[in-house]
Amino acid sequence: MTRGGEHRPRDLSWPDALTRPVQALQAEASLLVALSGGLDSTVLLHTVVHCLSGSSVRLRAVHINHQLQSNARETEDFCRQLCQQLGVDLVVERVSVAATTGPAAGLEAGARNARYDVFERLMVGGDTLLMAHHQDDQAETMLFRMIRGTGLAGLAGIPARRRLGRGWLVRPFLAVSREQLHGWARELGLAWQDDPSNDDERFDRNFLRKSIIPLLKERWPNLLVRMDRSSQACREGAELAQALAQLRLQSLSGPEGELSIDGVRALSLTEQKNLLRWWITQSGFSVPERRDWAQVLADLLEAGADREPELPGDGFAVRRFQAALYLVRDPKMPLGDTRLLEPDHPLLWGDYRIVLQKAQQKVGAGTQIPRIRVAGRQGGERIRPCPQGPSKPLKKWLQDKAVPPWERARLPLLSMDGELIGVGQIWLSPGFQGAAPESGWRIVVEREFD
Ligand SMILES: Nc1ncnc2c1ncn2[C@@H]1O[C@H](COP(=O)(O)OP(=O)(O)OP(=O)(O)O)[C@@H](O)[C@H]1O
């Protein structure tokens, strides 16, 4: 349902609290306003147009139609008309939200994920996406996270600025309350769309907004300001914890990014947890949800030498090998089949990329393309590390080289005429390396994330 009056604001003086944070965006190259059609983002779009039209900033809006509400089409039309009247280019994306049959929270989260996926995809370098989150959203988020039992970083609430895809996400209204936004929207005579799902208290956020926060505000009128202070304190605390974890990471990590067990063991349990979480996040993964961190750490750090403890995660695992912890990415493809190397056709083998190249010809070297096979370990292989020397079991050789067990299973083995000529990046027969290799052919083995 459309509320209020016009697509054009009345000619009043605009409140400073709205214009100040938006004027600070003058230096941005390109702004994208996330426009839901609701009151908050409609006021944001009007304010951006009021403050920045005529400036050099490129301005667009983006509306995501989740196709969930009965008025989804009406809201999309509203956004189109609004942008047309304001002379702002609008991108509309329709998405299908998963988990529609799940519990209310699943649907809410599904819509949010779909929305952020689109935003990320749309952003190019130099783009800044603006969202209209305000002080009340901040308080709801903090309460909600507290109820779910989140840590310091979660209690820091919604950040005013953070990276999103190739650009930035900025929330200029975080210091403005919902009441103020509503008051100004009416005073300026603006129109907006009401979201019927905002009244549905099966959604946790709505329950907090409609039933809990008003009660708290009645008792503590400056609740929002106090919570804002708490979020600031938590943000600072989280920043300090990260800085400490980063220092520890630098001093305890070895040449392959592994962490020394003795070094980690010397830290308090609190610091161990802090370090492990930061290490996982820094490596681009999500920290697994565990309640038994003390147990997880005791397993990783104290298990007997004969055990191979691990903390599994999504796309990775933290594993122990000898005196260190390793953060190991899941391999890219199932290994197993045998492949033949073709000249100048890179072979992708899990995380490895293997290339066979014709090298400068040595006098007397054959010109025939060597038949080099690439395969995973089957067991029983032997290696002849020195061309004229004796061969030894590959298993023993890998153990002597202290190659971790998970790495051994992933290594591409290169062989020719039944003889091993290469083991991942660890070893390559001298006949296939250097400026003028004996065989007339050079092999290059790289690991993708090296
Ligand atoms: N359908 C939409 N299309 C474009 N932007 C949207 C849409 N829905 C929400 N937004 C943007 O996100 C802001 C916050 O909206 P809302 O509070 O509904 O989302 P939220 O789920 O709480 O957000 P978040 O998950 O980011 O905290 C809006 O002010 C608006 O800028």
Side-chain angles (χ1 to χ4, degrees), residues 34-36 41 62 64 66 112 115-116 119 131-133 205:
L35 179 67
S36 67
S41 54
V62 50
I64 314 296
H66 297 114
R112 181 180 187 277
R115 186 158 75 237
Y116 276 80
F119 292 146
M131 287 190 175
H133 290 95
R205 291 293 287 261

Side-chain angles (χ1 to χ4, degrees), residues 374-402:
V374 180
R377 274 185 75 204
Q378 315 285 318
E381 293 90 354
R382 297 183 71 83
I383 182 168
R384 195 183 306 278
C386 303
Q388 270 26 299
S391 71
K392 52 157 80 179
L394 178 64
K395 182 176 177 183
K396 173 89 181 48
W397 184 82
L398 289 170
Q399 275 167 3
D400 293 346
K401 290 244 168 259

Side-chain angles (χ1 to χ4, degrees), residues 4 24 27 41 128 155 162 195 209 232 369 421 425:
S41 54
T128 300
L155 291 177
R162 73 160 167 93
D195 178 350
R209 182 169 65 241
Q232 180 64 24
I369 299 170
I421 58 159
Q425 271 183 314

Side-chain angles (χ1 to χ4, degrees), residues 228-249:
D228 200 38
R229 251 180 251 149
S230 297
S231 95
Q232 180 64 24
C234 291
R235 193 164 309 129
E236 286 169 9
E239 267 175 40
L240 288 177
Q242 282 178 6
L244 180 60
Q246 183 58 26
L247 284 176
R248 297 290 190 208
L249 197 58

